[in-house]
Amino acid sequence: SKNKYSTAPKTLSTVSIKNKEYQTDEYTNVTPKILSYLGRNLHVQKDNPLSLVRQRIVNYFYSSFTHRGNPMFSVYDNLSPIVTTQQNFDDLLIPADHPSRAKCDCYYVNKEMLLRAHMTAHQSELLRAGLDNFLMIGDVYRRDEIDSTHFPVFHQVDAVRSQHKDELFANQPNLHIFEPHFDPNNPKNYINSISDPMKQSCHTLEASKLMEAKLKNDLMGLVQELFGKNIKHRWVDAYFPFTHPSWELEIYYENDWLEVLGCGIVRNEILVNAGPNKTIAYAFGLGLERLAMALYKIPDIRLMWSDDSGFVSQFQNKDVNAKITYKAVSQYPQCKNDISFWLPENITVETFMNNDFYDLVRDIGGDIIEQVKLKDKFIHPKTKKHSLCYNIVYRHLERTLTQEEVNKIHKEIEKATVDAFNVVIR
Ligand code: FA5
Ligand code: MG
């Protein structure tokens, strides 16, 4: 152990993450606070704005690319965020001395393992498994400042789309993916140059340009699906070690250009290393927070983590395509009140229409209803009568509600519930 020659007291030499022990070393810089975000998985929490955006992106790829009626893309949103430096860097041709590996930018578990800094960390393993079209969605970790647009944990959607010659040039059988001087059956000794800004040396100009057009077209389709046909955008030349050529897409939002994604043509070495390859592929990685903040006008990235009912309820039980504009949560205090009732004989706790009840509460309470939540289902052991209990949170945006006025509205809701659903208040 590293304390062998030290007289200093032995310090903790392992760190426990999700019930697994990892050896620590001079690289270890994960903190208990950061580790507490693992497993929160906001991107799959039903009512989180990040999850709404994720679903819209997945729907777009499922419906835009089908083969004999089946989606061509497969989705991976449950990959472990603890990855090797091989996955996060080496597999992606990121040089050993590249600044993105620095301890001050990443959360290392130890010298060999880190919390993934981008979803691209999973690209090679999925290519190696034989996949050609796929999305990778999850939480990523970077050491960064905390302000309204930066948080050390955020979420990315990454994708790869690959094409064989027959798909890419279905109507032009004379065209090729690779230049004659590159032999895809014997790729290992070939030095693939990226000195030409238009393409990698192994690719033909036609193949690279057609794939670039597909990439930009597919991504513009996505951005227009989210923000509407008139969204102002621009493509900016970029550099990533794992793609060439590379671009970033920016959208014009609130009087400023906002970078929403990075993308490019996958470096052929990566495809070769992942196994036999005769395809050309594009890849991209986008930030879910940036899109959600712009789409719903959420002013602060930290709100994504909020469980304040005033925030959560604005995204609850919503159609994924609903137009939602976030309203600042009131600083004024909440009032909570329960409503419990016995259901009529022909209705059970399972068949009662929750959503009808929610609408009724909002119809009567209006904007001061912050949240309505099912709290308890109960079946009386003797009478077998069914009963439900809901908690209603009241909050005014501009002033403090008095208990008296809340009680009055609550009584009205009780009365309307009795009338509408033939229930008996408990
Ligand atoms: C990457 O992470 C590349 N892996 C993207 C990629 C994938 C390029 C595949 C080519 C091929 P970048 O660090 O720029 O690139 O992050 C990608 C996107 O994540 C950004 O465009 C932005 O939308 C989002 N993002 C990056 N940093 C932050 C941050 N601190 N907070 C919120 N979103 C961020
Ligand atoms: Mg970037």
Side-chain angles (χ1 to χ4, degrees):
S1 103
K2 71 178 175 133
N3 289 324
K4 200 151 103 187
Y5 303 110
S6 164
T7 53
K10 269 209 164 67
T11 51
L12 193 65
S13 62
T14 65
V15 56
S16 172
I17 309 174
K18 290 197 194 165
N19 298 320
K20 224 183 136 200
E21 299 290 322
Y22 295 86
Q23 202 72 44
T24 61
D25 58 27
E26 72 279 9
Y27 264 74
T28 309
N29 62 2
V30 288
T31 62
K33 181 71 189 157
I34 278 298
L35 292 175
S36 76
Y37 292 107
L38 271 77
R40 286 286 300 273
N41 293 330
L42 296 186
H43 61 290
V44 290
Q45 299 310 312
K46 187 171 161 286
D47 298 319
N48 193 280
L50 300 178
S51 168
L52 296 178
V53 179
R54 170 192 58 89
Q55 289 174 68
R56 291 184 67 174
I57 295 170
V58 170
N59 289 346
Y60 171 80
F61 278 93
Y62 274 172
S63 61
S64 305
F65 307 96
T66 54
H67 181 65
R68 301 202 177 118
N70 295 315
M72 286 170 58
F73 277 82
S74 33
V75 175
Y76 294 81
D77 58 12
N78 193 21
L79 300 160
S80 170
I82 305 162
V83 299
T84 60
T85 50
Q86 178 80 34
Q87 291 172 292
N88 200 84
F89 304 115
D90 302 84
D91 282 350
L92 295 168
L93 315 177
I94 298 176
D97 58 357
H98 196 271
S100 67
R101 295 189 187 234
K103 263 178 79 174
C104 63
D105 285 331
C106 298
Y107 286 105
Y108 280 92
V109 174
N110 54 39
K111 203 157 48 181
E112 270 107 42
M113 313 280 280
L114 72 159
L115 305 183
R116 63 189 168 208
H118 55 176
M119 287 308 292
T120 323
H122 300 286
Q123 189 183 93
S124 279
E125 67 192 84
L126 294 176
L127 286 169
R128 215 169 285 131
L131 296 167
D132 43 16
N133 299 297
F134 51 94
L135 301 175
M136 303 157 268
I137 311 176
D139 39 335
V140 302
Y141 297 77
R142 293 185 195 175
R143 297 186 69 190
D144 217 334
E145 73 234 81
I146 299 186
D147 65 22
S148 65
T149 60
H150 290 84
F151 198 75
V153 191
F154 60 98
H155 298 76
Q156 288 185 329
V157 177
D158 244 63
V160 171
R161 182 180 181 197
S162 322
Q163 302 237 286
H164 283 275
K165 171 181 151 51
D166 297 351
E167 291 170 85
L168 190 66
F169 295 128
N171 305 317
Q172 301 123 297
N174 300 331
L175 298 181
H176 299 277
I177 288 179
F178 297 107
E179 290 281 4
H181 61 256
F182 175 75
D183 176 6
N185 294 312
N186 188 15
K188 287 284 180 184
N189 294 323
Y190 180 82
I191 312 256
N192 187 25
S193 157
I194 55 168
S195 59
D196 180 348
M198 303 269 250
K199 67 178 195 72
Q200 301 170 38
S201 65
C202 68
H203 290 143
T204 63
L205 187 60
E206 298 80 27
S208 196
K209 280 288 173 196
L210 187 51
M211 211 56 195
E212 173 182 341
K214 288 188 185 223
L215 169 61
K216 290 180 172 174
N217 182 62
D218 294 351
L219 287 170
M220 270 323 293
L222 173 65
V223 167
Q224 288 179 341
E225 165 78 19
L226 294 174
F227 292 94
K229 285 275 175 239
N230 295 326
I231 183 73
K232 200 167 140 192
H233 76 279
R234 69 182 184 195
W235 291 100
V236 180
D237 288 334
Y239 171 79
F240 298 101
F242 33 95
T243 50
H244 184 79
S246 307
W247 303 272
E248 283 172 346
L249 176 59
E250 299 185 345
I251 61 172
Y252 198 67
Y253 173 71
E254 309 254 289
N255 306 316
D256 214 349
W257 289 103
L258 175 72
E259 177 205 317
V260 291
L261 63 86
C263 64
I265 308 297
V266 177
R267 289 273 293 269
N268 196 56
E269 297 92 311
I270 295 175
L271 302 177
V272 166
N273 290 340
N277 164 61
K278 294 194 175 165
T279 63
I280 184 168
Y282 74 55
F284 68 81
L286 60 79
L288 278 179
E289 274 80 354
R290 296 253 171 107
L291 292 179
M293 289 175 78
L295 204 51
Y296 305 126
K297 305 210 186 329
I298 298 170
D300 193 309
I301 196 167
R302 289 168 302 179
L303 283 164
M304 304 294 174
W305 300 87
S306 165
D307 41 30
D308 184 298
S309 59
F311 178 78
V312 177
S313 63
Q314 296 190 38
F315 300 94
Q316 231 159 24
N317 303 312
K318 290 286 197 310
D319 182 274
V320 293
N321 296 316
K323 188 169 160 42
I324 302 169
T325 303
Y326 172 75
K327 285 207 276 317
V329 175
S330 169
Q331 302 302 302
Y332 297 94
Q334 302 173 325
C335 278
K336 297 184 182 182
N337 247 340
D338 287 348
I339 175 169
S340 309
F341 44 79
W342 296 109
L343 295 171
E345 256 161 40
N346 56 339
I347 308 259
T348 71
V349 290
E350 304 306 330
T351 61
F352 182 71
M353 293 303 213
N354 285 314
N355 288 342
D356 291 348
F357 174 68
Y358 297 148
D359 283 339
L360 176 144
V361 175
R362 280 191 209 282
D363 280 350
I364 293 174
D367 282 349
I368 70 164
I369 304 297
E370 187 170 279
Q371 189 181 55
V372 187
K373 218 175 177 169
L374 180 60
K375 198 171 155 185
D376 192 31
K377 295 177 182 175
F378 174 70
I379 302 173
H380 193 283
K382 291 232 175 65
T383 66
K384 305 288 179 222
K385 279 189 159 195
H386 288 216
S387 135
L388 291 171
C389 176
Y390 293 86
N391 180 255
I392 305 178
V393 180
Y394 299 88
R395 177 148 61 179
H396 201 290
L397 287 171
E398 283 105 26
R399 63 185 173 82
T400 299
L401 291 169
T402 66
Q403 192 63 54
E404 207 176 314
E405 64 186 316
V406 168
N407 290 346
K408 184 164 166 282
I409 292 161
H410 198 73
K411 277 268 171 285
E412 282 174 40
I413 289 172
E414 286 184 342
K415 186 173 174 304
T417 306
V418 169
D419 291 345
F421 304 112
N422 202 18
V423 302
V424 177
I425 300 291
R426 293 182 65 178

PDB file of all heavy atoms in Angstrom, residues 8 28 67 80 82 101 112 126 139 152 166 169-170 173 182 184 191 223-224 240 245 278 290 334 347 352:
ATOM      1  N   ALA A   8       2.703   8.384   8.939  1.00  0.00           N
ATOM      2  CA  ALA A   8       1.426   9.071   9.141  1.00  0.00           C
ATOM      3  C   ALA A   8       0.331   8.036   9.368  1.00  0.00           C
ATOM      4  O   ALA A   8       0.432   6.904   8.887  1.00  0.00           O
ATOM      5  CB  ALA A   8       1.091   9.911   7.915  1.00  0.00           C
ATOM      6  N   THR A  28      -7.508  10.344  -6.746  1.00  0.00           N
ATOM      7  CA  THR A  28      -8.875  10.376  -6.215  1.00  0.00           C
ATOM      8  C   THR A  28      -9.295  11.792  -5.836  1.00  0.00           C
ATOM      9  O   THR A  28      -8.630  12.444  -5.033  1.00  0.00           O
ATOM     10  CB  THR A  28      -8.975   9.470  -4.969  1.00  0.00           C
ATOM     11  OG1 THR A  28      -8.449   8.196  -5.305  1.00  0.00           O
ATOM     12  CG2 THR A  28     -10.419   9.354  -4.500  1.00  0.00           C
ATOM     13  N   HIS A  67     -36.808   1.139 -40.293  1.00  0.00           N
ATOM     14  CA  HIS A  67     -36.513   0.144 -41.308  1.00  0.00           C
ATOM     15  C   HIS A  67     -37.597  -0.906 -41.200  1.00  0.00           C
ATOM     16  O   HIS A  67     -37.740  -1.543 -40.162  1.00  0.00           O
ATOM     17  CB  HIS A  67     -35.131  -0.465 -41.053  1.00  0.00           C
ATOM     18  CG  HIS A  67     -34.738  -1.491 -42.066  1.00  0.00           C
ATOM     19  ND1 HIS A  67     -34.524  -1.173 -43.383  1.00  0.00           N
ATOM     20  CD2 HIS A  67     -34.566  -2.827 -41.961  1.00  0.00           C
ATOM     21  CE1 HIS A  67     -34.208  -2.282 -44.052  1.00  0.00           C
ATOM     22  NE2 HIS A  67     -34.232  -3.295 -43.206  1.00  0.00           N
ATOM     23  N   SER A  80     -23.589   2.655 -16.601  1.00  0.00           N
ATOM     24  CA  SER A  80     -22.968   3.151 -15.362  1.00  0.00           C
ATOM     25  C   SER A  80     -22.068   4.354 -15.639  1.00  0.00           C
ATOM     26  O   SER A  80     -21.247   4.330 -16.557  1.00  0.00           O
ATOM     27  CB  SER A  80     -22.136   2.051 -14.705  1.00  0.00           C
ATOM     28  OG  SER A  80     -21.381   2.624 -13.651  1.00  0.00           O
ATOM     29  N   ILE A  82     -19.591   5.288 -13.958  1.00  0.00           N
ATOM     30  CA  ILE A  82     -18.201   5.049 -13.562  1.00  0.00           C
ATOM     31  C   ILE A  82     -17.511   4.325 -14.706  1.00  0.00           C
ATOM     32  O   ILE A  82     -17.870   3.201 -15.041  1.00  0.00           O
ATOM     33  CB  ILE A  82     -18.136   4.218 -12.271  1.00  0.00           C
ATOM     34  CG1 ILE A  82     -18.948   4.896 -11.176  1.00  0.00           C
ATOM     35  CG2 ILE A  82     -16.692   4.008 -11.830  1.00  0.00           C
ATOM     36  CD1 ILE A  82     -19.298   3.988 -10.034  1.00  0.00           C
ATOM     37  N   ARG A 101      -7.950  15.692 -19.604  1.00  0.00           N
ATOM     38  CA  ARG A 101      -7.727  14.618 -18.641  1.00  0.00           C
ATOM     39  C   ARG A 101      -7.361  15.142 -17.257  1.00  0.00           C
ATOM     40  O   ARG A 101      -7.253  14.367 -16.304  1.00  0.00           O
ATOM     41  CB  ARG A 101      -6.574  13.721 -19.107  1.00  0.00           C
ATOM     42  CG  ARG A 101      -6.848  12.970 -20.372  1.00  0.00           C
ATOM     43  CD  ARG A 101      -5.731  11.960 -20.582  1.00  0.00           C
ATOM     44  NE  ARG A 101      -5.819  11.304 -21.869  1.00  0.00           N
ATOM     45  CZ  ARG A 101      -5.836   9.978 -22.023  1.00  0.00           C
ATOM     46  NH1 ARG A 101      -5.731   9.180 -20.982  1.00  0.00           N
ATOM     47  NH2 ARG A 101      -5.911   9.458 -23.227  1.00  0.00           N
ATOM     48  N   GLU A 112      -7.284   4.973 -12.692  1.00  0.00           N
ATOM     49  CA  GLU A 112      -7.863   4.276 -13.848  1.00  0.00           C
ATOM     50  C   GLU A 112      -9.357   4.531 -14.073  1.00  0.00           C
ATOM     51  O   GLU A 112      -9.868   4.250 -15.149  1.00  0.00           O
ATOM     52  CB  GLU A 112      -7.665   2.768 -13.704  1.00  0.00           C
ATOM     53  CG  GLU A 112      -6.390   2.249 -14.309  1.00  0.00           C
ATOM     54  CD  GLU A 112      -5.394   1.863 -13.232  1.00  0.00           C
ATOM     55  OE1 GLU A 112      -5.832   1.254 -12.240  1.00  0.00           O
ATOM     56  OE2 GLU A 112      -4.214   2.203 -13.367  1.00  0.00           O
ATOM     57  N   LEU A 126     -20.060   0.275 -27.469  1.00  0.00           N
ATOM     58  CA  LEU A 126     -21.292  -0.057 -28.190  1.00  0.00           C
ATOM     59  C   LEU A 126     -21.000  -0.387 -29.657  1.00  0.00           C
ATOM     60  O   LEU A 126     -21.625  -1.268 -30.245  1.00  0.00           O
ATOM     61  CB  LEU A 126     -22.324   1.063 -28.053  1.00  0.00           C
ATOM     62  CG  LEU A 126     -22.844   1.253 -26.610  1.00  0.00           C
ATOM     63  CD1 LEU A 126     -23.794   2.438 -26.516  1.00  0.00           C
ATOM     64  CD2 LEU A 126     -23.527  -0.015 -26.098  1.00  0.00           C
ATOM     65  N   ASP A 139     -26.056  10.993 -17.145  1.00  0.00           N
ATOM     66  CA  ASP A 139     -25.443  12.052 -16.353  1.00  0.00           C
ATOM     67  C   ASP A 139     -23.940  12.070 -16.584  1.00  0.00           C
ATOM     68  O   ASP A 139     -23.305  11.034 -16.638  1.00  0.00           O
ATOM     69  CB  ASP A 139     -25.751  11.855 -14.859  1.00  0.00           C
ATOM     70  CG  ASP A 139     -25.698  10.385 -14.439  1.00  0.00           C
ATOM     71  OD1 ASP A 139     -25.893   9.500 -15.308  1.00  0.00           O
ATOM     72  OD2 ASP A 139     -25.429  10.104 -13.258  1.00  0.00           O
ATOM     73  N   PRO A 152     -21.799  20.963 -11.708  1.00  0.00           N
ATOM     74  CA  PRO A 152     -20.807  19.895 -11.945  1.00  0.00           C
ATOM     75  C   PRO A 152     -21.395  18.590 -12.480  1.00  0.00           C
ATOM     76  O   PRO A 152     -20.659  17.738 -12.962  1.00  0.00           O
ATOM     77  CB  PRO A 152     -20.170  19.682 -10.569  1.00  0.00           C
ATOM     78  CG  PRO A 152     -21.080  20.342  -9.595  1.00  0.00           C
ATOM     79  CD  PRO A 152     -21.807  21.415 -10.320  1.00  0.00           C
ATOM     80  N   ASP A 166     -23.859   0.766 -49.489  1.00  0.00           N
ATOM     81  CA  ASP A 166     -25.150   0.512 -50.141  1.00  0.00           C
ATOM     82  C   ASP A 166     -26.242   1.460 -49.661  1.00  0.00           C
ATOM     83  O   ASP A 166     -27.159   1.781 -50.406  1.00  0.00           O
ATOM     84  CB  ASP A 166     -25.613  -0.927 -49.899  1.00  0.00           C
ATOM     85  CG  ASP A 166     -24.661  -1.921 -50.513  1.00  0.00           C
ATOM     86  OD1 ASP A 166     -23.764  -1.482 -51.265  1.00  0.00           O
ATOM     87  OD2 ASP A 166     -24.802  -3.123 -50.224  1.00  0.00           O
ATOM     88  N   PHE A 169     -24.851   5.372 -50.721  1.00  0.00           N
ATOM     89  CA  PHE A 169     -24.867   5.630 -52.165  1.00  0.00           C
ATOM     90  C   PHE A 169     -25.838   4.694 -52.875  1.00  0.00           C
ATOM     91  O   PHE A 169     -25.517   4.132 -53.925  1.00  0.00           O
ATOM     92  CB  PHE A 169     -23.449   5.470 -52.742  1.00  0.00           C
ATOM     93  CG  PHE A 169     -22.475   6.490 -52.232  1.00  0.00           C
ATOM     94  CD1 PHE A 169     -21.253   6.097 -51.693  1.00  0.00           C
ATOM     95  CD2 PHE A 169     -22.769   7.852 -52.284  1.00  0.00           C
ATOM     96  CE1 PHE A 169     -20.341   7.035 -51.232  1.00  0.00           C
ATOM     97  CE2 PHE A 169     -21.862   8.798 -51.824  1.00  0.00           C
ATOM     98  CZ  PHE A 169     -20.650   8.382 -51.297  1.00  0.00           C
ATOM     99  N   ALA A 170     -27.016   4.534 -52.287  1.00  0.00           N
ATOM    100  CA  ALA A 170     -28.000   3.601 -52.856  1.00  0.00           C
ATOM    101  C   ALA A 170     -28.264   3.899 -54.324  1.00  0.00           C
ATOM    102  O   ALA A 170     -28.446   2.985 -55.132  1.00  0.00           O
ATOM    103  CB  ALA A 170     -29.296   3.673 -52.061  1.00  0.00           C
ATOM    104  N   PRO A 173     -24.172   3.701 -57.388  1.00  0.00           N
ATOM    105  CA  PRO A 173     -23.312   2.544 -57.077  1.00  0.00           C
ATOM    106  C   PRO A 173     -21.842   2.747 -57.469  1.00  0.00           C
ATOM    107  O   PRO A 173     -20.984   1.992 -57.012  1.00  0.00           O
ATOM    108  CB  PRO A 173     -23.957   1.396 -57.855  1.00  0.00           C
ATOM    109  CG  PRO A 173     -24.872   2.029 -58.835  1.00  0.00           C
ATOM    110  CD  PRO A 173     -25.267   3.352 -58.290  1.00  0.00           C
ATOM    111  N   PHE A 182      -6.839   3.586 -49.496  1.00  0.00           N
ATOM    112  CA  PHE A 182      -7.148   2.993 -48.188  1.00  0.00           C
ATOM    113  C   PHE A 182      -7.855   1.662 -48.398  1.00  0.00           C
ATOM    114  O   PHE A 182      -8.848   1.585 -49.124  1.00  0.00           O
ATOM    115  CB  PHE A 182      -8.050   3.925 -47.376  1.00  0.00           C
ATOM    116  CG  PHE A 182      -8.509   3.319 -46.076  1.00  0.00           C
ATOM    117  CD1 PHE A 182      -7.640   3.224 -45.004  1.00  0.00           C
ATOM    118  CD2 PHE A 182      -9.802   2.818 -45.936  1.00  0.00           C
ATOM    119  CE1 PHE A 182      -8.050   2.642 -43.813  1.00  0.00           C
ATOM    120  CE2 PHE A 182     -10.222   2.243 -44.745  1.00  0.00           C
ATOM    121  CZ  PHE A 182      -9.337   2.151 -43.681  1.00  0.00           C
ATOM    122  N   PRO A 184      -9.990  -1.047 -46.587  1.00  0.00           N
ATOM    123  CA  PRO A 184     -10.720  -1.328 -45.347  1.00  0.00           C
ATOM    124  C   PRO A 184     -10.506  -2.753 -44.839  1.00  0.00           C
ATOM    125  O   PRO A 184     -10.789  -3.048 -43.670  1.00  0.00           O
ATOM    126  CB  PRO A 184     -12.192  -1.079 -45.711  1.00  0.00           C
ATOM    127  CG  PRO A 184     -12.252  -0.997 -47.180  1.00  0.00           C
ATOM    128  CD  PRO A 184     -10.878  -0.683 -47.688  1.00  0.00           C
ATOM    129  N   ILE A 191      -2.023   5.416 -42.058  1.00  0.00           N
ATOM    130  CA  ILE A 191      -2.034   6.639 -41.253  1.00  0.00           C
ATOM    131  C   ILE A 191      -3.147   7.536 -41.791  1.00  0.00           C
ATOM    132  O   ILE A 191      -3.063   8.047 -42.901  1.00  0.00           O
ATOM    133  CB  ILE A 191      -0.682   7.391 -41.346  1.00  0.00           C
ATOM    134  CG1 ILE A 191       0.473   6.426 -41.126  1.00  0.00           C
ATOM    135  CG2 ILE A 191      -0.685   8.588 -40.404  1.00  0.00           C
ATOM    136  CD1 ILE A 191       1.156   6.457 -39.817  1.00  0.00           C
ATOM    137  N   VAL A 223     -33.688  20.193 -33.920  1.00  0.00           N
ATOM    138  CA  VAL A 223     -33.798  21.516 -33.302  1.00  0.00           C
ATOM    139  C   VAL A 223     -35.096  22.219 -33.726  1.00  0.00           C
ATOM    140  O   VAL A 223     -35.751  22.886 -32.922  1.00  0.00           O
ATOM    141  CB  VAL A 223     -32.541  22.344 -33.649  1.00  0.00           C
ATOM    142  CG1 VAL A 223     -32.737  23.808 -33.323  1.00  0.00           C
ATOM    143  CG2 VAL A 223     -31.332  21.797 -32.901  1.00  0.00           C
ATOM    144  N   GLN A 224     -35.504  22.006 -34.987  1.00  0.00           N
ATOM    145  CA  GLN A 224     -36.771  22.605 -35.439  1.00  0.00           C
ATOM    146  C   GLN A 224     -37.971  21.913 -34.808  1.00  0.00           C
ATOM    147  O   GLN A 224     -38.978  22.549 -34.514  1.00  0.00           O
ATOM    148  CB  GLN A 224     -36.858  22.555 -36.965  1.00  0.00           C
ATOM    149  CG  GLN A 224     -35.895  23.545 -37.618  1.00  0.00           C
ATOM    150  CD  GLN A 224     -35.946  23.505 -39.126  1.00  0.00           C
ATOM    151  OE1 GLN A 224     -36.422  22.543 -39.716  1.00  0.00           O
ATOM    152  NE2 GLN A 224     -35.425  24.548 -39.762  1.00  0.00           N
ATOM    153  N   PHE A 240     -12.742  18.189 -32.247  1.00  0.00           N
ATOM    154  CA  PHE A 240     -12.776  17.122 -31.237  1.00  0.00           C
ATOM    155  C   PHE A 240     -11.788  16.053 -31.683  1.00  0.00           C
ATOM    156  O   PHE A 240     -11.709  15.773 -32.889  1.00  0.00           O
ATOM    157  CB  PHE A 240     -14.181  16.497 -31.122  1.00  0.00           C
ATOM    158  CG  PHE A 240     -15.250  17.468 -30.693  1.00  0.00           C
ATOM    159  CD1 PHE A 240     -16.123  18.015 -31.631  1.00  0.00           C
ATOM    160  CD2 PHE A 240     -15.388  17.833 -29.356  1.00  0.00           C
ATOM    161  CE1 PHE A 240     -17.104  18.923 -31.247  1.00  0.00           C
ATOM    162  CE2 PHE A 240     -16.370  18.736 -28.970  1.00  0.00           C
ATOM    163  CZ  PHE A 240     -17.233  19.275 -29.907  1.00  0.00           C
ATOM    164  N   PRO A 245     -14.370  16.010 -40.156  1.00  0.00           N
ATOM    165  CA  PRO A 245     -14.437  17.354 -39.569  1.00  0.00           C
ATOM    166  C   PRO A 245     -15.413  17.392 -38.391  1.00  0.00           C
ATOM    167  O   PRO A 245     -16.182  16.464 -38.191  1.00  0.00           O
ATOM    168  CB  PRO A 245     -14.957  18.218 -40.725  1.00  0.00           C
ATOM    169  CG  PRO A 245     -14.955  17.363 -41.946  1.00  0.00           C
ATOM    170  CD  PRO A 245     -14.941  15.954 -41.499  1.00  0.00           C
ATOM    171  N   LYS A 278     -16.703  -1.242 -42.493  1.00  0.00           N
ATOM    172  CA  LYS A 278     -16.729  -0.705 -43.864  1.00  0.00           C
ATOM    173  C   LYS A 278     -17.733   0.435 -43.939  1.00  0.00           C
ATOM    174  O   LYS A 278     -18.341   0.674 -44.971  1.00  0.00           O
ATOM    175  CB  LYS A 278     -17.104  -1.807 -44.847  1.00  0.00           C
ATOM    176  CG  LYS A 278     -16.024  -2.877 -44.895  1.00  0.00           C
ATOM    177  CD  LYS A 278     -16.162  -3.804 -46.064  1.00  0.00           C
ATOM    178  CE  LYS A 278     -14.964  -4.744 -46.072  1.00  0.00           C
ATOM    179  NZ  LYS A 278     -15.159  -5.888 -46.935  1.00  0.00           N
ATOM    180  N   ARG A 290     -29.130  22.636 -21.389  1.00  0.00           N
ATOM    181  CA  ARG A 290     -29.177  23.826 -22.255  1.00  0.00           C
ATOM    182  C   ARG A 290     -30.490  23.858 -23.022  1.00  0.00           C
ATOM    183  O   ARG A 290     -31.133  24.901 -23.151  1.00  0.00           O
ATOM    184  CB  ARG A 290     -28.024  23.799 -23.259  1.00  0.00           C
ATOM    185  CG  ARG A 290     -26.671  23.872 -22.606  1.00  0.00           C
ATOM    186  CD  ARG A 290     -26.016  25.217 -22.804  1.00  0.00           C
ATOM    187  NE  ARG A 290     -24.818  25.281 -21.962  1.00  0.00           N
ATOM    188  CZ  ARG A 290     -23.586  25.220 -22.425  1.00  0.00           C
ATOM    189  NH1 ARG A 290     -23.377  25.126 -23.720  1.00  0.00           N
ATOM    190  NH2 ARG A 290     -22.568  25.277 -21.601  1.00  0.00           N
ATOM    191  N   GLN A 334     -46.249  28.333   1.529  1.00  0.00           N
ATOM    192  CA  GLN A 334     -47.286  27.399   1.084  1.00  0.00           C
ATOM    193  C   GLN A 334     -48.290  27.147   2.206  1.00  0.00           C
ATOM    194  O   GLN A 334     -47.958  27.305   3.375  1.00  0.00           O
ATOM    195  CB  GLN A 334     -46.677  26.032   0.752  1.00  0.00           C
ATOM    196  CG  GLN A 334     -45.608  26.029  -0.302  1.00  0.00           C
ATOM    197  CD  GLN A 334     -44.954  24.651  -0.421  1.00  0.00           C
ATOM    198  OE1 GLN A 334     -44.790  23.936   0.562  1.00  0.00           O
ATOM    199  NE2 GLN A 334     -44.587  24.295  -1.642  1.00  0.00           N
ATOM    200  N   ILE A 347     -67.088   2.461  -7.871  1.00  0.00           N
ATOM    201  CA  ILE A 347     -65.754   2.992  -8.225  1.00  0.00           C
ATOM    202  C   ILE A 347     -64.731   2.489  -7.212  1.00  0.00           C
ATOM    203  O   ILE A 347     -65.011   2.477  -6.005  1.00  0.00           O
ATOM    204  CB  ILE A 347     -65.752   4.533  -8.185  1.00  0.00           C
ATOM    205  CG1 ILE A 347     -66.914   5.079  -9.021  1.00  0.00           C
ATOM    206  CG2 ILE A 347     -64.413   5.100  -8.634  1.00  0.00           C
ATOM    207  CD1 ILE A 347     -66.594   5.571 -10.373  1.00  0.00           C
ATOM    208  N   PHE A 352     -60.862   5.216 -10.071  1.00  0.00           N
ATOM    209  CA  PHE A 352     -61.174   6.641  -9.923  1.00  0.00           C
ATOM    210  C   PHE A 352     -60.294   7.464 -10.858  1.00  0.00           C
ATOM    211  O   PHE A 352     -59.093   7.224 -10.970  1.00  0.00           O
ATOM    212  CB  PHE A 352     -60.955   7.083  -8.465  1.00  0.00           C
ATOM    213  CG  PHE A 352     -61.309   8.524  -8.235  1.00  0.00           C
ATOM    214  CD1 PHE A 352     -62.624   8.947  -8.242  1.00  0.00           C
ATOM    215  CD2 PHE A 352     -60.297   9.471  -8.019  1.00  0.00           C
ATOM    216  CE1 PHE A 352     -62.949  10.292  -8.036  1.00  0.00           C
ATOM    217  CE2 PHE A 352     -60.611  10.806  -7.810  1.00  0.00           C
ATOM    218  CZ  PHE A 352     -61.947  11.212  -7.817  1.00  0.00           C
TER     219      PHE A 352
END
